[in-house]
Amino acid sequence: MAKPIVALVGRPNVGKSTLFNRITGERKAIVEDRPGVTRDRIYADAFWRDREFILVDTGGIEFEVEDEIARQVKKQARLALEEADVVVFLTDGREGLTPLDREVANLLRRTRKPVILAVNKIENFQKDDIYDFYQLGLGDPIPISAAHGLNTGDLLDAVVANLPPETGEEYDEEVIKIAVAGRPNVGKSSLVNAILGEERVIVSDIPGTTRDAVDTLFTRDGQSYVIIDTAGIRRRSKIEEPTERFSVIRALRAIERADVVLLVLDAQEGVTEQDKRIAGYAHEKGRAIVIVVNKWDLVEKDDKTMLRYTERIREELSFMQYAPVIYVSALTGQRVPRILELVKYVAEQHVMRIATSTLNELIREAVALNPPPAEGGRRLKILYAAQTGVRPPTFVIFVNDPELVHFSYARYLENRIRSSFGFEGTPINLIFRQRRS
């Protein structure tokens, strides 16, 4: 199932990014003591009391400011509210209750989502007064100090208590789940319709885990597929402009539930920063990936155009060299039938297993051809390897000291595994462990 989403919202400079970093244990969000630093949503996995969720850090909501950046931030925050399962409304205990807090509270009440009110920058729980915040009508305020980690456990307890109940996966193991992900206006809707076709066989429309969306289950050449949470199968009456323009959160939900991600790029625009964010999330989650370059019919070409374009994609998405690239036109149908062929192929690569004896023979050969370099007078010794998982393929390699494994040598071993066994379209996890005596 997809992980629930928890959104941090509030006016500017109340400490959302600091709280985000505190909860996730990372420093992904930029923290600076002035308003408006966080202009885009930042997201990361979080874990508390056996529950996992996606934490989203939004920009500060401002109602009076009319510049373009403020408008975009407000739209993105509204989308975070629309997609979130739980909202944490962060306020500033030092400044006290402000008129802008009241406006944000009014906005939150209209969402009908569980809202947890947190009062940040409280260092002395006996002396600091938080009672004014009861006026917001959002329940008991929880005093915290994000900077010092005070009372954040109580806040997370409240978050977990309001998360939706966990449910099992609703599809059989044999069904290949496809997420069509990409920026707005790259042609995802048209591509979904082109893949399904007018003569599609829809077994059923099953409500997905996101609101106002359905999964489309269909069969092609004996293989069952499901396309998850895409704009192409959402009723037009349900489409709202901010939802279509800012789609990262919806992409996260679809990627969480997918086996294979179709990363759709616009042939006329190339790879953008938002494309990289979506691609990076799919890569980190270990999903199989096919890069689909849409609107190829609109590009002026010569005999080297496709080669040059592929080189640029490989340069921009350097962490995803393994992903096949296909050039299509959803409008004309060019190469669209090949997409499902690639999806099935990379899904098979995603679950492929290598016999332990065959794997160790390859590792011994790789070490003989290129012995590990010595570091500080000590040399890495590779003792044994075994595949421990799939989706993505995961290999544990036992060594004398994991600290001696340089990233370049790990990459060399990964390349040797790929050149021998394929694993096209899927990331590979190499885990180096010290063998116990």
Side-chain angles (χ1 to χ4, degrees):
M1 64 168 291
K3 294 175 187 173
I5 289 176
V6 177
L8 296 177
V9 302
R11 58 185 175 81
N13 212 32
V14 294
K16 292 186 298 298
S17 296
T18 303
L19 181 60
F20 176 92
N21 293 335
R22 173 67 63 180
I23 293 174
T24 62
E26 303 181 31
R27 291 193 58 82
K28 282 189 176 181
I30 301 170
V31 180
E32 194 170 321
D33 192 19
R34 62 183 178 86
V37 172
T38 305
R39 294 179 179 174
D40 200 1
R41 287 188 308 275
I42 310 292
Y43 45 83
D45 290 334
F47 180 85
W48 186 256
R49 295 193 182 277
D50 299 324
R51 288 299 304 270
E52 290 182 294
F53 55 92
I54 300 172
L55 188 66
V56 179
D57 179 24
T58 67
I61 301 176
E62 298 181 83
F63 290 90
E64 300 301 326
V65 181
E66 288 301 323
D67 66 88
E68 181 61 23
I69 290 176
R71 281 196 296 270
Q72 300 295 345
V73 167
K74 188 160 63 174
K75 283 182 178 178
Q76 295 196 45
R78 285 179 184 273
L79 176 61
L81 294 179
E82 180 185 329
E83 292 296 324
D85 297 288
V86 176
V87 177
V88 175
F89 175 24
L90 198 62
T91 57
D92 187 331
R94 289 182 192 161
E95 291 190 18
L97 185 62
T98 70
L100 187 51
D101 289 326
R102 295 179 189 275
E103 291 192 66
V104 175
N106 290 335
L107 173 66
L108 295 179
R109 273 193 291 272
R110 291 196 294 271
T111 68
R112 301 184 183 278
K113 302 286 178 67
V115 176
I116 298 164
L117 174 60
V119 184
N120 191 25
K121 306 180 185 179
I122 301 293
E123 271 76 39
N124 189 325
F125 288 10
Q126 280 72 42
K127 292 184 178 180
D128 290 335
D129 186 5
I130 64 168
Y131 292 103
D132 284 349
F133 292 92
Y134 278 96
Q135 299 176 37
L136 296 176
L138 294 172
D140 295 336
I142 300 175
I144 66 167
S145 171
H148 299 99
L150 301 177
N151 222 31
T152 53
D154 286 0
L155 174 62
L156 288 169
D157 285 345
V159 167
V160 169
N162 283 277
L163 292 177
E166 295 180 281
T167 58
E169 180 55 67
E170 66 267 40
Y171 299 111
D172 292 337
E173 189 78 12
E174 293 76 22
V175 176
I176 299 174
K177 300 181 290 296
I178 307 169
V180 182
R183 293 181 294 109
N185 304 319
V186 295
K188 298 189 297 296
S189 305
S190 301
L191 189 64
V192 168
N193 292 333
I195 290 172
L196 295 174
E198 294 200 359
E199 299 298 323
R200 63 186 180 274
V201 180
I202 300 177
V203 180
S204 61
D205 282 339
I206 302 172
T209 58
T210 49
R211 291 161 296 282
D212 298 330
V214 292
D215 299 348
T216 299
L217 184 64
F218 66 101
T219 301
R220 189 72 49 83
D221 298 327
Q223 173 64 54
S224 294
Y225 303 88
V226 62
I227 291 184
I228 298 170
D229 186 25
T230 64
I233 49 178
R234 197 170 295 116
R235 291 194 302 274
R236 189 166 297 278
S237 62
K238 294 291 184 181
I239 294 175
E240 296 181 8
E241 185 262 351
T243 302
E244 293 304 318
R245 291 191 61 198
F246 303 105
S247 56
V248 173
I249 293 182
R250 183 154 283 153
L252 302 191
R253 283 194 187 273
I255 289 167
E256 283 284 342
R257 299 177 56 221
D259 300 310
V260 179
V261 175
L262 297 182
L263 176 65
V264 185
L265 306 180
D266 187 321
Q268 295 180 295
E269 297 183 20
V271 180
T272 69
E273 288 303 313
Q274 190 168 352
D275 293 325
K276 291 178 185 178
R277 280 195 290 271
I278 295 171
Y281 193 81
H283 172 79
E284 290 169 6
K285 292 298 165 187
R287 302 303 187 254
I289 298 166
V290 176
I291 300 172
V292 181
V293 183
N294 191 26
K295 307 182 186 179
W296 192 239
D297 56 310
L298 302 180
V299 175
E300 292 186 15
K301 307 176 207 44
D302 57 33
D303 59 342
K304 297 279 196 313
T305 304
M306 192 176 290
L307 178 62
R308 288 195 299 267
Y309 207 103
T310 302
E311 288 175 351
R312 285 199 298 272
I313 291 173
R314 297 301 184 202
E315 183 179 338
E316 294 290 338
L317 301 176
S318 57
F319 56 89
M320 202 176 276
Q321 300 290 325
Y322 55 82
V325 182
I326 181 170
Y327 296 86
V328 307
S329 168
L331 182 64
T332 68
Q334 181 185 22
R335 299 191 190 88
V336 169
R338 283 213 57 222
I339 293 176
L340 286 182
E341 295 175 19
L342 274 176
V343 165
K344 186 176 180 180
Y345 174 66
V346 300
E348 291 168 351
Q349 299 284 294
H350 203 214
V351 298
M352 186 167 61
R353 289 186 178 272
I354 306 301
T356 300
S357 58
T358 305
L359 176 64
N360 280 279
E361 183 179 344
L362 170 71
I363 295 295
R364 284 193 295 270
E365 179 184 306
V367 171
L369 288 172
N370 181 16
E375 187 170 322
R378 301 182 63 215
R379 185 176 296 275
L380 173 69
K381 293 181 181 178
I382 297 179
L383 308 170
Y384 183 77
Q387 184 175 358
T388 59
V390 294
R391 292 192 178 102
T394 301
F395 302 89
V396 174
I397 301 176
F398 293 94
V399 297
N400 60 329
D401 184 357
E403 295 294 324
L404 297 175
V405 182
H406 193 270
F407 76 90
S408 61
Y409 200 77
R411 187 170 54 196
Y412 163 71
L413 293 177
E414 178 181 336
N415 290 338
R416 291 288 299 180
I417 291 172
R418 288 189 183 280
S419 64
S420 297
F421 304 119
F423 293 112
E424 187 176 3
T426 176
I428 290 177
N429 285 343
L430 297 186
I431 301 170
F432 294 89
R433 287 184 183 158
Q434 186 169 9
R435 189 174 72 174
R436 300 181 186 277
S437 23

